[in-house]
Amino acid sequence: MSRWSDAVRMAVGTLTTVPVPAPRVIDRGVAGRAMLLAPLAALPLAAAAGAIVWAGSAVGLPSLATAALALGAVALGSRGLHLDGLADTADGLGASYDRAKALDVMRRGDSGPTGVATLVLVLLVQVGALTGAHPVTAAAGVLIGRCTLSMACARGVPTARPEGLGATVAGSVPRVAAVAVGVVAAGLAVLLPGLPWWRGPVAVGLAYAVAGALLWRCTKRLGGITGDVLGAGVEAAVAAALLALST
């Protein structure tokens, strides 16, 4: 039970701004459990996004502004962690075919033109897809994006560096458990209101496909994952899920 308690603390403390005590122990077992719990840890963010979309519609705010506010709240609630990872990953992949140089660019933390352009384009897709959408769509997109973290941290996925978040979580999730998260997500997505039953599973499948393609590219170019790659995968998956759910 203490392992799961530490995993909850790690997942919530890493992926959100919700204040929780620090984990007593962080090892591969705790890290793997934390990645499995990522969608549950993001429930407050999903609820906030859905509530903002509902409130914006109720008071008659422009739907574009409402979508931007909802996604902005999610970004604030996660310290902009995934957006930062998206920009850094884009800069690294665009900087050089040399692995060491690409990783050095990603480590610097500042954003170059490639990172900024990628960030703007992905956010435009997310906001555009969420404009005029149902509140449940906003919440579902947030959660589906976090579901893909277990796939990115599944056994066999290497780390690009010997230190950092990527090294802690890389390969920490049993493959069966990672698959189970995707299956459960697709099953629950059938229940999304106001949509044909198949739209939710398609959204999950598309999110996993996009995040998986990015994961494959990064492992080929960088030799494995980093914390930035995980963040980039989440943002790409959210964009894909929202697109699939948009009407």
Side-chain angles (χ1 to χ4, degrees):
M1 182 60 69
S2 61
R3 286 291 187 91
W4 282 107
S5 175
D6 283 336
V8 170
R9 295 178 180 184
M10 179 179 176
V12 175
T14 302
L15 300 174
T16 76
T17 56
V18 177
V20 292
R24 289 158 293 187
V25 175
I26 296 180
D27 55 23
R28 291 186 65 77
V30 169
R33 289 174 173 84
M35 294 301 98
L36 288 172
L37 293 172
L40 297 180
L43 280 172
L45 304 181
I52 290 172
V53 170
W54 176 85
S57 177
V59 301
L61 287 180
S63 56
L64 182 63
T66 298
L69 287 171
L71 291 169
V74 173
L76 287 174
S78 57
R79 304 184 188 87
L81 184 69
H82 306 309
L83 293 173
D84 178 69
L86 175 64
D88 287 345
T89 299
D91 278 333
L93 292 177
S96 172
Y97 281 100
D98 181 79
R99 172 180 175 273
K101 184 175 180 180
L103 288 171
D104 181 62
V105 168
M106 292 169 65
R107 186 184 288 111
R108 293 175 192 171
D110 55 346
S111 295
T114 303
V116 172
T118 301
L119 193 62
V120 170
L121 289 172
V122 171
L123 285 172
L124 282 173
V125 171
Q126 292 181 357
V127 171
L130 188 55
T131 298
H134 193 282
V136 174
T137 297
V142 172
L143 297 178
I144 291 170
R146 274 69 181 173
C147 287
T148 63
L149 282 171
S150 56
M151 173 187 67
C153 299
R155 296 276 165 82
V157 178
T159 178
R161 299 192 186 105
E163 77 287 335
L165 177 62
T168 302
V169 301
S172 63
V173 178
R175 292 179 181 177
V176 172
V179 171
V181 170
V183 171
V184 170
L188 292 175
V190 172
L191 306 176
L192 292 177
L195 293 171
W197 68 267
W198 51 269
R199 287 286 289 277
V202 166
V204 173
L206 184 60
Y208 268 79
V210 170
L214 179 61
L215 175 65
W216 177 84
R217 180 63 172 166
C218 289
T219 54
K220 291 294 184 182
R221 282 285 309 279
L222 307 174
I225 63 169
T226 67
D228 287 331
V229 171
L230 296 178
V234 167
E235 292 298 339
V238 169
L242 291 176
L243 272 178
L245 294 172
S246 63
T247 56

